[in-house]
Amino acid sequence: MSKNLYITFLGGIGEIGKNMTAIEYNNHIIVVDSGLAFPSEEMPGIDYVIPDYSYLVHNREKIKGILITHGHEDHIGALPYVLRDLPVPVYGSSFSIALVQHKLREHKIQGIETHIVDENKNVFELGCFRVEFVRVTHSIAGAYALSITTPKGILFFTGDFKIDYTPVDGKNIDLARIAQIGKEGVLLLLEDSTNVEREGYSMSEASVGKKLDDLFAHNIHKRMVIATFASNIHRVQQIIDCCVKYNRRVAFAGRSMIKIAEIAHKLKELNYPKDTVVDISQIHSIPYDKLCIISTGSQGESESALTRMSKDELRKVTITDTDCVVFSSSPIPGNEKLIYNVINNLCKKGADVIYKDMSEVHVSGHACREELKMMMSLVNPRFFIPVHGEYRHLKQHIDLAESMGINRANTLMPEIGDVVEISKLGLKKVNKLTVGTIMLDGSFVQSSDMILRDRRNLSEDGFVIVILNVGASGLLENDPTFEVRGLTISQEVETIIRNRIRQAYASGEYKEMATAEIRVCIRKLIAREIDIRLKKQPIIIPIIFEQ
Ligand SMILES: [Zn+2]
Ligand SMILES: [Zn+2]
């Protein structure tokens, strides 16, 4: 691949999560984002899913660096894994880089070069590319769009964004610069599709401040417990502002909340008067109506602080009818059941619980249709590819682009693994990489489809271990014994299976076979009997002891 411009989609397409895109020209590759996704219901026991980046590993000498649009997990979560194999430089805002460095420390990865991009140092050369970080607004501090000048023209990645004219930190989206880049002529726009189904404009983050203020004003005799995303520092800032105004101290609960608040405070992204924040272990010395706990767990995550509070498992906090618990978030689709479990448990303890249906204490960080249209018209691209969405989002986003005057032939619906060539003539899929996903168990150990199949089997059909003792004569010494878990095998069925195995040995069927072969035969024999009699397909493990 040389002298042509290619984009390879490695994640974040047909899904919201694990964003990763590679741009390639003349043996130079730069990578945009490196995120994780949370597992679907069909992946029992899996903790995270990350993009299959084997293409990058095969082309490691071409990679000039990884650009991070912002510090959300779906954009940085795979970095500890990817950087272990590909120790390339990482570029991002000070907040993004601080979060990345924290991750690398946690995973004990050293020697990675990181570069902080800020207002004064936001343009640089990387291989044959000229990269410009352009400030946008989103539900995290330090979010940027990317304008990448290639020898074939400018590629504009919006990253995750919304157009917030009154951002909490006063750092506005740089619409003027975006318009200027648009005037210079953009070849291709890749735009965030998350909220393409929503008409109008997203609400400003600042509007949440007013709602929060109302809640504090109406609950002066209660202790406040507010759950939100730890990375949404602007939300945390607004909660703290209310605490200062209503004379409450703040305690952070949950590992990521404590850590990210500390990082943000150090970077002056989170500001509060001295003595506002107390350690969670000190809250007993503060009257309950003078305290607010800001917690993780807005998605009902099982190990989060709020979920543990709801089950009386967080030693330092007991929820009672003197608490007002606020979910300052909206459920990520799929998490509703978990969240309602937590809400029910909190209600059982007598707490007042405020969640989305009752009060607008959350706004989205993603652009709605009018904002998407505004971005499109400013960037004014020749070609358009929707990203960061499921297929229904991507399809509607292409329709939206067409309504804005972009010819459908100049748009493309990507899939993961697609290699798209971009030239003045158009967008063309030129290759399809076979990419899977990498599933991670526990502390970043790679899992496989086979392990997953076993887990699904175990949960639905259980397992059977059968132990056989074979004597020197090649016959069974005694009756086979069974260990069964997760299903019931009656005495009668057990006897039938036992007899079949005994018969097989007695008839000399296994005489010429190697032990491994015998094991396969026994497994098949047992599987057939259990399938016929119980309609179950358990995992069967024969253990054969030979004299
Ligand atoms: Zn995202
Ligand atoms: Zn994001």
Side-chain angles (χ1 to χ4, degrees), residues 83-288:
L83 290 173
R84 210 176 304 188
D85 288 336
L86 299 165
V88 299
V90 181
Y91 299 79
S93 65
S94 57
F95 192 53
S96 303
I97 293 294
L99 295 177
V100 170
Q101 280 168 339
H102 171 56
K103 257 180 203 303
L104 296 181
R105 267 195 305 276
E106 269 190 338
H107 290 272
K108 300 191 172 53
I109 296 169
Q110 291 172 334
I112 300 296
E113 201 182 301
T114 53
H115 297 267
I116 292 175
V117 174
D118 62 29
E119 298 306 78
N120 309 314
K121 225 181 82 193
N122 65 330
V123 187
F124 52 93
E125 308 275 329
L126 208 53
C128 60
F129 305 104
R130 186 173 151 277
V131 176
E132 178 174 347
F133 277 64
V134 184
R135 183 176 284 286
V136 295
T137 37
H138 183 42
S139 50
I140 189 169
Y144 282 90
L146 297 171
S147 172
I148 300 173
T149 306
T150 75
K152 296 279 178 181
I154 298 174
L155 310 180
F156 194 88
F157 286 74
T158 64
D160 295 8
F161 81 102
K162 67 193 276 185
I163 299 178
D164 191 338
Y165 296 104
T166 53
V168 170
D169 60 4
K171 293 172 183 166
N172 282 289
I173 173 169
D174 197 348
L175 291 175
R177 179 63 193 138
I178 294 171
Q180 223 168 21
I181 294 168
K183 284 221 170 92
E184 288 165 21
V186 170
L187 187 61
L188 169 66
L189 168 66
L190 299 104
E191 192 175 46
D192 174 5
S193 308
T194 315
N195 270 349
V196 69
E197 291 173 328
R198 295 198 198 171
E199 293 294 341
Y201 298 89
S202 67
M203 295 281 284
S204 169
E205 176 63 33
S207 69
V208 177
K210 294 189 198 80
K211 299 281 179 192
L212 284 169
D213 191 298
D214 284 351
L215 277 177
F216 274 78
H218 284 108
N219 288 283
I220 43 172
H221 300 305
K222 298 254 176 184
R223 179 171 69 176
M224 301 295 286
V225 178
I226 304 181
T228 191
F229 286 113
S231 63
N232 195 341
I233 284 305
H234 300 143
R235 184 72 46 83
V236 175
Q237 179 71 62
Q238 296 196 90
I239 299 168
I240 294 181
D241 291 347
C242 286
C243 293
V244 172
K245 179 173 170 192
Y246 290 94
N247 195 21
R248 286 181 190 251
R249 307 288 285 281
V250 174
F252 295 115
R255 220 162 57 96
S256 60
M257 186 63 80
I258 294 168
K259 195 68 222 175
I260 294 181
E262 186 195 317
I263 291 172
H265 188 50
K266 225 181 257 171
L267 292 173
K268 297 196 165 43
E269 295 285 356
L270 191 62
N271 301 295
Y272 45 80
K274 217 172 136 236
D275 297 332
T276 305
V277 174
V278 290
D279 192 89
I280 190 92
S281 61
Q282 303 302 315
I283 59 172
H284 56 269
S285 62
I286 297 163
Y288 66 88

Side-chain angles (χ1 to χ4, degrees), residues 44-81:
I46 296 296
D47 295 315
Y48 304 115
V49 184
I50 62 170
D52 177 351
Y53 56 95
S54 41
Y55 175 74
L56 300 179
V57 174
H58 292 137
N59 291 281
R60 65 171 73 224
E61 70 292 344
K62 298 182 188 170
I63 301 173
K64 304 296 165 197
I66 301 178
L67 311 174
I68 299 299
T69 56
H70 64 288
H72 277 150
E73 287 295 335
D74 59 326
H75 299 260
I76 66 167
L79 275 177
Y81 208 73

Side-chain angles (χ1 to χ4, degrees), residues 27-47:
N27 291 330
H28 293 185
I29 293 179
I30 49 177
V31 180
V32 176
D33 289 331
S34 186
L36 61 72
F38 292 100
S40 66
E41 277 173 11
E42 297 87 62
M43 301 177 184
I46 296 296
D47 295 315

